[in-house]
Amino acid sequence: MNEETDATGDVRDVVIVGSGVAGLSAAVYAARADLEPLVLEGPEPGGQLTLTTDVENYLGFPEGVGGMELIKNGTDQAERFGAEFTHGTVENATLEERPSELELSNGDVLRTRALIVASGASARWVGADSEDELMGYGLSTCATCDGAFHRGDDVLVVGGGDSAMEEALFLAKFADNVTVVHRREELRASEIMADRARDHEDIEFRWNTELEAIHGSQEDGVTGATLVSHPDGYPGEKAASGVDIDRATVDVGGVFYAIGHTPNTEFVRDTPVELDDDGYVRITDTDAWATTATAVSGVFAAGDVMDPGYQQAITAAGMGSMAALDAEEWLETARLRRQKPTARA
Ligand SMILES: Cc1cc2nc3c(=O)[nH]c(=O)nc-3n(C[C@H](O)[C@H](O)[C@H](O)COP(=O)(O)OP(=O)(O)OC[C@H]3O[C@@H](n4cnc5c(N)ncnc54)[C@H](O)[C@@H]3O)c2cc1C
């Protein structure tokens, strides 16, 4: 804890919101810079990577590594250099003045000079039966991450936008057959992406169809899925009773959700931090040295919360380190400013 305090308590140099790979990487860098960061773990300690059993594309693990193990190692590494972790979810932030104030869901208020927002983006889930049990066991929200585990399988992709088409095209490199399940009769994807997917010989479409249930177990992975089709078109939210439906069970070895992500940015919505139309934090380029800088001086963002494009563990970790370096430099500059003697008239 820093020595400097004010009337309402301790002021941290750096608070990091989120303990996924971005937050952990920021914590390692900030701790090694002696900034004694406090990491708020939020509703999902360890973040999304804890949902997967196999990570094969993170550098330094030739045999792959479990998501939990990667997160545990990162936490130990950050703690070794003095990072502190605490359960805590930010509900509101006041960022107009320094230090920033964070109000947690348990009522505590934290004050910090620099803030790193690494709160991730949660993939939307369909709500199909057994998805809780099978997520990470053949059910995935990331084809780039898990597609290679499905060589020779038949797989489903749920969604109808650009990301669903991207996932389907990526999966078609490994899977024997990819079926895109879309609840409407037309895709939302751009024409070029839709054409590419439609023209691919290993990709087919099930229109007006919803995923009702996924079958399998954590031992055997996904083995099948129940699909519900509406011959007369999608009737709205879930089939109302009395509406004609066809129910079928298909054998598949994998299911991929591609219905978008929701960035975890509710707590900065009423602050001057700029968000894009989908709610992702916008990085501003006002300081040449700070590529993780938000619209608020001293507030930085890293990982999936500011990156709708890549959303990979290694890119999130890279941005976490950048945010810590940016915060360190910002604090140094702020300190120098404070020390500068005031000019006398
Ligand atoms: C099933 C699955 C498999 C994946 N496999 C791979 C893979 O093999 N390789 C790969 O590179 N990527 C993979 N990914 C993607 C990867 O997990 C993400 O890109 C990465 O986790 C993003 O890290 P992050 O730290 O930005 O966010 P997250 O991991 O989402 O972490 C966000 C953190 O913020 C916290 N938080 C949220 N809101 C608040 C709040 N209000 N207050 C405090 N804390 C808050 C959460 O509790 C969490 O700790 C996979 C994702 C999934 C879902």
Side-chain angles (χ1 to χ4, degrees):
M1 182 66 77
N2 294 299
E3 307 242 301
E4 190 180 333
T5 58
D6 66 13
T8 53
D10 296 315
V11 179
R12 291 274 179 171
D13 269 339
V14 180
V15 168
I16 298 165
V17 181
S19 60
V21 267
L24 291 179
S25 170
V28 169
Y29 271 71
R32 289 191 78 242
D34 264 349
L35 296 172
E36 299 175 353
L38 176 69
V39 182
L40 298 175
E41 294 178 317
E44 289 170 19
Q48 292 171 69
L49 220 52
T50 60
L51 295 173
T52 182
T53 48
D54 274 304
V55 181
E56 286 193 327
N57 53 5
Y58 199 89
L59 199 66
F61 297 93
E63 305 300 325
V65 60
M68 281 289 203
E69 188 185 344
L70 194 69
I71 292 297
K72 161 101 178 52
N73 289 348
T75 307
D76 291 350
Q77 194 176 355
E79 280 181 332
R80 181 182 149 216
F81 296 112
E84 198 183 322
F85 287 74
T86 185
H87 298 301
T89 298
V90 183
E91 271 197 356
N92 282 303
T94 309
L95 307 177
E96 284 80 359
E97 287 171 17
R98 297 274 79 72
S100 299
E101 270 191 11
L102 304 176
E103 192 186 321
L104 308 189
S105 51
N106 66 1
D108 285 357
V109 175
L110 292 173
R111 314 183 79 229
T112 183
R113 294 186 184 81
L115 176 67
I116 296 176
V117 178
S119 47
S122 306
R124 290 188 204 120
W125 293 19
V126 169
D129 291 350
S130 297
E131 64 181 13
D132 286 333
E133 184 196 340
L134 293 173
M135 182 58 77
Y137 297 86
L139 169 63
S140 173
T141 54
C142 178
T144 333
C145 313
D146 296 331
F149 298 122
H150 293 279
R151 271 175 216 283
D153 280 350
D154 288 349
V155 299
L156 299 181
V157 171
V158 182
D162 275 343
S163 61
M165 298 308 106
E166 265 173 40
E167 305 261 299
L169 287 160
F170 184 83
L171 285 164
K173 294 179 190 171
F174 309 97
D176 263 5
N177 182 271
V178 179
T179 302
V180 176
V181 174
H182 186 41
R183 63 184 188 174
R184 301 193 186 279
E185 214 161 32
E186 278 175 20
L187 295 171
R188 276 180 297 105
S190 58
E191 213 42 54
I192 185 163
M193 290 304 294
D195 283 348
R196 273 185 206 157
R198 277 196 212 105
D199 292 345
H200 198 294
E201 58 181 1
D202 297 327
I203 300 178
E204 59 188 71
F205 291 83
R206 294 281 291 256
W207 306 107
N208 296 319
T209 299
E210 290 180 281
L211 174 70
E212 185 177 72
I214 308 166
H215 309 297
S217 66
Q218 294 192 349
E219 290 73 40
D220 301 331
V222 166
T223 55
T226 302
L227 301 177
V228 171
S229 301
H230 308 284
D232 299 324
Y234 176 66
E237 289 309 314
K238 293 278 171 198
S241 57
V243 175
D244 269 353
I245 56 170
D246 292 333
R247 183 175 276 107
T249 298
V250 291
D251 292 336
V252 286
V255 175
F256 288 81
Y257 286 173
I259 54 172
H261 287 75
T262 305
N264 302 315
T265 48
E266 302 76 25
F267 62 96
V268 289
R269 257 175 223 285
D270 296 328
T271 72
V273 166
E274 282 176 24
L275 305 178
D276 72 10
D277 290 345
D278 297 319
Y280 286 90
V281 175
R282 253 190 228 284
I283 295 306
T284 61
D285 209 9
T286 48
D287 296 309
W289 50 265
T291 49
T292 61
T294 69
V296 179
S297 177
V299 179
F300 304 88
D304 285 8
V305 73
M306 45 73 90
D307 162 38
Y310 296 101
Q311 298 197 327
Q312 293 290 290
I314 200 149
T315 51
M319 288 181 259
S321 67
M322 287 158 61
L325 291 167
D326 291 345
E328 184 189 358
E329 185 156 358
W330 181 86
L331 284 162
E332 192 56 32
T333 309
R335 243 174 227 123
L336 289 175
R337 276 201 205 112
R338 274 207 302 274
Q339 282 164 9
K340 212 166 151 189
T342 35
R344 286 171 197 275

